[in-house]
Amino acid sequence: MRPDRVVHAGREPIVPVRSPARPWLRPLRRHSTGIAAPDPRLWALTLAIIAVDAVWMAASGMAAEPLGFGLAGLAVLVLLLAAACLSTVKSDPPLRGMALASAFLIAFTVPVAVLHFLAAGIGLPFVDPALARIETALGFDWTGHVAFLARHPTLSWWLALAYHSSGPQVGLVVIALSATRRLGRLWTYIRLFAATLLCVIVLAALLPALGPYAHYAPRVVPSEPLETVGALWHLEPVARLRAGTLHTLALGDLRGLATFPSFHVCLALLTAWALAPVPLLGPLAALLNAAVIVATLGSGGHYLPDVLAGGLLAFAALACRARRRGPTADPAARDPAARRIEALDAIETIRPADA
């Protein structure tokens, strides 16, 4: 048997990935591998979305305010350089994980948010009446729920605070999983984040809705601005996008416009899953994100079908992940780029079972 081929029982021979023959390519390859996670295909998808945004904005006569987007691009570049250096100059998996995960989240969410804005201007009919009928058929009284929150302002305020913790919790996942060297779980979380966010944007573009605050126009609502800002902040940009009066897009203008399905619910479940194995943080994250899901109805201004669809999307994503880990767990069945990333992270991770 050749020494470079090892045959395991019931498996195909695994051929190790060889280093390039040219010595000058080795540093380049090592640097590129160090910044390839969470998946080279996701980086390629990000570049494709940026190209689509540029073409779409040019065709619609919309300009981008350069300062904000330029600073975001600069932040991504600095973080990628830091991740590349940390993978070669100094072996520090936690810091590399934080830098690389932060770089990808910025690089992906900004162009995806722009795409979300552009898609919101397509102008398909709103589906609020259909969502309200489904909600009624399920026996849920949304206006009664909001009136209850208005009668209990302290509860409403705390639920709103939990609702607005979704964004900071993403940063907490990056820090916690990197610090505990659960890099494989971090990359999986980011892949699930990217896939479900794209699904939400597509569905929101095809099934646009203004939300129950606009549809029901309740007479009794929570009084504090913090409690309803998440439910109302999309109305003005949606109106301008549909009227064609939004000619300049700034980074600060980007916000969530999706009603159906709720990405807050989807993200809450994914975040609770990601932090589940972390001591102390796991149970606290589960409780906090349960509050986020409840708060999505009032503070987020979502119908009950939005909440159910967001939960279904998260469970479907986690189920697909579990299914893929079964029959394709053999590294020989995966593409070379994925094997290089996983090999690097396996060396850096002290808990490979959490990958």
Side-chain angles (χ1 to χ4, degrees), residues 64-78 106 110 249-251:
E65 193 277 321
L67 178 60
F69 292 107
L71 290 176
L74 179 61
V76 171
L77 180 59
V78 170
I106 297 172
V110 170
L249 187 61
L251 183 63

Side-chain angles (χ1 to χ4, degrees), residues 53 145 342:
D53 289 344
H145 174 74
E342 293 183 4

Side-chain angles (χ1 to χ4, degrees), residues 256-329:
L257 307 179
T259 296
F260 178 87
S262 169
F263 185 63
H264 264 80
V265 171
C266 183
L267 183 59
L269 292 171
L270 294 180
T271 300
W273 168 84
L275 293 174
V278 181
L280 296 179
L281 276 180
L284 293 176
L287 292 174
L288 177 58
N289 285 290
V292 170
I293 294 173
V294 174
T296 302
L297 292 164
S299 301
H302 282 278
Y303 300 96
L304 182 59
D306 305 339
V307 175
L308 298 178
L312 181 62
L313 178 59
F315 283 120
L318 289 171
C320 290
R321 171 210 172 251
R323 185 176 179 182
R324 288 188 61 190
R325 280 173 58 87
T328 62

Side-chain angles (χ1 to χ4, degrees), residues 208-229:
L210 288 175
Y213 277 100
H215 179 73
Y216 292 122
R219 291 179 295 177
V220 180
V221 298
S223 58
E224 294 294 330
L226 175 64
E227 296 168 9
T228 56
V229 65

Side-chain angles (χ1 to χ4, degrees), residues 92-104:
D92 196 328
L95 288 179
R96 189 185 76 92
M98 291 181 198
L100 188 51
S102 301
F104 178 78

Side-chain angles (χ1 to χ4, degrees), residues 137-156:
L138 293 172
F140 182 72
D141 181 7
W142 187 89
T143 56
H145 174 74
V146 171
F148 171 81
L149 293 177
R151 293 194 300 270
H152 299 82
T154 302
L155 173 63
S156 179

Side-chain angles (χ1 to χ4, degrees), residues 105 169-193 266-286 289 314 318 321 351 353-355:
L105 287 171
Q169 282 193 71
V170 176
L172 178 62
V173 170
V174 172
I175 295 172
L177 296 186
S178 297
T180 57
R181 297 174 181 258
R182 291 176 167 90
L183 296 180
R185 196 174 188 87
L186 175 59
W187 306 145
T188 301
Y189 172 77
I190 292 177
R191 294 185 192 110
L192 294 174
F193 175 95
C266 183
L267 183 59
L269 292 171
L270 294 180
T271 300
W273 168 84
L275 293 174
V278 181
L280 296 179
L281 276 180
L284 293 176
N289 285 290
L318 289 171
R321 171 210 172 251
R351 294 180 178 85
D354 293 329

